[in-house]
Amino acid sequence: MATGTGTSGPVVSAARQRHLERILQNLGHAEVGRAFGLAKLSTLADFRAAVPLMDLQTHAREVEARIGFGATDASDPRANELSGCGVERGLVVEAWREWLGARDPAAASRALLLQARNPDPLIDRVRARDLEALGAEVRRIESLASERELEQLRALLEEFEPTLLVVPSSYTCAWLERELHGPIDRRIPSLRLVLAGHDHRQRVRARVPVEFAGWIDRSGRLGVPSPRSPARAFTLAVSSALIELLPHTKFDVDGRPILQAETVLPEHAIIGERYEVVVSSPLGFLRVRLDEHVRVVGFDPPTQDAPFARPRVVRLPSPPIDIALEGVSLLGTWMTASVRQAFRPEDPALVAATIGPDLTTINVGGDAGGRRRRRGGPGDPFADTELGGANAQEQRAAPRPRRLLVQVEVQGDSRIGLEGHLIRSVDSDLCRRSPAYAHLRSRSELLPPAVTIVEPGTYHAARVRRIRSLRGRVGAPVVRVVDHARAPIFPATTVGHVRG
């Protein structure tokens, strides 16, 4: 079993070498390949030394922008071959057949796919070919947003009588059971298996097994079902993509994960440790950190393409993001802790909360008097101070919000004065944690947080909308940090009242 620290060399793998050769061949002579010197590389060690780790934003700017697309170019006739998704299709189908065959060897004849169309056609194409390899007749429903679509689903269940149900999340099954007024297998007696992609901790009333459908990303296949427990675990698709693991086993005093400088290969992972998934693919992905975090819970046996123990993992929630305000950046762990600690025992119970920048406080016109600020480059610890970028050319920085917006839902009615108490508590807690924030608050350059008490049921309604959209993961932390510009969780129409 692979339990090393990652200091030894990589195990010789035909699939890994094939993916590396395709990456170098497909991208080596392109602009992005010339930027990283890919044409001069020949080994995996050289590739890992020449190409730096990149987060999603950096990768979009440094790699995808040079290639000329913002997503996988699935229209390329070579996309299916380059993705490598067919390499481990046999393992996926074998696991599905084993789960179906435990009850009925011929149960794969009808599959109902409840899944919205993905912006990247490659993902839908791979899933369709997996079901085709299973030998199933497939019907698809792409949305349940309206009552008419829900009625169409009820009629299809009676007419089609599926034996296999493929859903994006286990929450989809739980919601269907409420809509159908009973366990889903009671309404669909022919059902033998449910395949879900996310949220396997959510329990369903049905007695049919709910298993892992597989993990398909726009960079290729990243996870295949594992026949071993726990049910929410899956095996990394080490033969389908060039996967590395970035350890972050320790946390600093503020709760931020301490990422190590180097990745480890999957065969060198350690059971019980936390890792961020890093993937490279001939489709145009070079050592990109996916912001997907896993914990290793075991290993599955080697295969012909991957002659080493393959890590079996479970997904973990991503750490809360940081929020950049005018002059300071606040850690996500600080903000979630400040909201949780603001509630006293006598206060109404917290149902859910989101924290993000208040975009209404952005000073579009710039600083008073047209003041220019010097800003340091990436990694400059003084970037948000008067010392930031002292040797850099002056440039006008984009304005940032001047306060936080906290949206809160509580159980029942909130008492008078709760908003003011939350404002004072969150503000004082952030001042205690961040001297820079406290300094800017004392000079009134930052405003106190704004608190919004939303109407009861808002969080549940937002979750139901997510379920009925049939798109990906549904489960989220009770207190979460979001970018309100991109992902508002509470619509403005549900706002009860605002204080700030």
Side-chain angles (χ1 to χ4, degrees):
M1 181 171 295
T3 57
T5 61
T7 56
S8 58
V11 178
V12 176
S13 166
R16 181 179 287 161
Q17 185 62 29
R18 182 170 60 249
H19 288 308
L20 178 61
E21 291 175 355
R22 286 178 176 175
I23 291 174
L24 301 179
Q25 180 180 5
N26 193 44
L27 303 175
H29 298 287
E31 180 184 352
V32 63
R34 293 193 297 270
F36 292 104
L38 297 185
K40 303 177 182 179
L41 308 180
S42 59
T43 66
L44 180 59
D46 294 338
F47 177 78
R48 297 173 69 192
V51 181
L53 293 174
M54 290 172 275
D55 57 25
L56 291 170
Q57 291 76 20
T58 304
H59 189 271
R61 182 177 63 253
E62 300 294 335
V63 177
E64 295 183 32
R66 287 174 170 170
I67 295 176
F69 56 86
T72 305
D73 189 4
S75 61
D76 188 338
R78 301 179 302 158
N80 184 65
E81 178 185 359
L82 292 176
S83 68
C85 291
V87 175
E88 292 180 282
R89 178 168 289 128
L91 296 178
V92 176
V93 174
E94 180 183 355
W96 291 354
R97 283 180 177 157
E98 180 179 350
W99 292 328
L100 285 164
R103 294 173 176 266
D104 185 354
S109 56
R110 297 176 303 279
L112 178 58
L113 178 60
L114 302 181
Q115 180 73 62
R117 293 287 179 183
N118 196 282
D120 191 333
L122 178 69
I123 296 178
D124 290 330
R125 189 180 305 170
V126 173
R127 180 67 73 211
R129 293 189 177 182
D130 289 349
L131 293 172
E132 180 182 344
L134 185 64
E137 176 189 354
V138 181
R139 299 281 186 90
R140 180 169 190 158
I141 291 181
E142 300 179 9
S143 173
L144 295 174
S146 66
E147 292 302 321
R148 181 179 60 84
E149 292 170 330
L150 185 57
E151 287 301 325
Q152 291 176 349
L153 172 63
R154 292 191 177 100
L156 182 59
L157 292 177
E158 296 178 358
E159 171 196 352
F160 187 52
E161 295 184 347
T163 52
L164 173 64
L165 185 63
V166 184
V167 295
S169 167
S170 295
Y171 280 97
T172 309
C173 290
W175 177 78
L176 282 176
E177 289 181 331
R178 289 193 293 270
E179 293 296 319
L180 299 176
H181 307 292
I184 193 170
D185 55 342
R186 185 182 302 172
R187 183 64 182 267
I188 318 173
S190 59
L191 190 63
R192 295 295 180 265
L193 174 66
V194 176
L195 295 176
H198 300 276
D199 305 317
H200 288 82
R201 287 183 178 274
Q202 173 64 23
R203 299 179 63 87
V204 298
R205 297 171 61 188
R207 300 182 66 179
V208 297
V210 180
E211 302 290 352
F212 180 67
W215 181 11
I216 304 172
D217 183 74
R218 63 194 186 103
S219 59
R221 191 190 303 277
L222 300 181
V224 298
S226 175
R228 294 166 177 79
S229 61
R232 61 192 179 94
F234 60 92
T235 305
L236 290 179
V238 293
S239 296
S240 300
L242 195 55
I243 297 177
E244 303 171 64
L245 299 175
L246 182 60
H248 56 89
T249 57
K250 298 181 180 180
F251 296 83
D252 60 19
V253 294
D254 299 317
R256 174 182 286 172
I258 301 176
L259 299 177
Q260 296 188 12
E262 297 182 358
T263 60
V264 299
L265 295 174
E267 62 267 28
H268 300 146
I270 302 175
I271 293 179
E273 299 296 338
R274 302 164 55 104
Y275 299 91
E276 182 176 2
V277 179
V278 178
V279 64
S280 301
S281 165
L283 292 173
F285 298 87
L286 298 177
R287 304 198 75 200
V288 55
R289 294 168 46 191
L290 297 180
D291 195 28
E292 292 282 355
H293 303 260
V294 298
R295 174 181 283 115
V296 178
V297 297
F299 288 87
D300 282 345
T303 63
Q304 182 176 359
D305 286 326
F308 48 81
R310 299 168 296 141
R312 189 167 68 255
V313 301
V314 295
R315 269 188 171 130
L316 300 175
S318 299
I321 62 176
D322 300 344
I323 294 297
L325 298 181
E326 189 65 35
V328 67
S329 294
L330 296 177
L331 271 65
T333 51
W334 288 351
M335 294 180 286
T336 55
S338 65
V339 171
R340 289 181 180 276
Q341 295 174 6
F343 282 83
R344 300 167 297 190
E346 62 269 22
D347 291 332
L350 173 66
V351 175
T354 64
I355 312 160
D358 186 353
L359 303 182
T360 64
T361 60
I362 295 178
N363 186 5
V364 180
D367 297 333
R371 184 173 73 245
R372 292 177 179 263
R373 293 174 297 143
R374 298 178 183 269
R375 302 299 299 273
D380 183 359
F382 303 102
D384 291 323
T385 71
E386 62 274 13
L387 300 178
N391 296 323
Q393 183 180 3
E394 284 192 350
Q395 57 182 351
R396 187 179 299 276
R400 293 179 178 177
R402 298 177 60 205
R403 72 176 177 185
L404 294 174
L405 173 61
V406 182
Q407 297 173 302
V408 176
E409 180 184 345
V410 297
Q411 190 172 21
D413 295 329
S414 60
R415 60 177 178 80
I416 298 176
L418 177 61
E419 304 94 335
H421 163 70
L422 293 178
I423 291 171
R424 293 188 297 271
S425 179
V426 172
D427 191 39
S428 62
D429 190 74
L430 291 177
C431 286
R432 178 180 61 84
R433 295 176 183 272
S434 173
Y437 177 85
H439 173 70
L440 295 175
R441 282 286 295 116
S442 67
R443 298 180 56 180
S444 299
E445 295 188 18
L446 290 180
L447 302 175
V451 173
T452 301
I453 304 294
V454 302
E455 296 178 359
T458 301
Y459 180 73
H460 175 72
R463 172 169 287 183
V464 169
R465 283 194 301 274
R466 179 67 176 175
I467 293 172
R468 297 182 69 159
S469 70
L470 300 181
R471 291 187 181 277
R473 184 179 302 169
V474 175
V478 171
V479 181
R480 56 184 299 203
V481 182
V482 300
D483 184 349
H484 291 299
R486 294 179 297 174
I489 193 67
F490 293 137
T493 55
T494 63
V495 171
H497 40 284
V498 182
R499 289 283 301 276

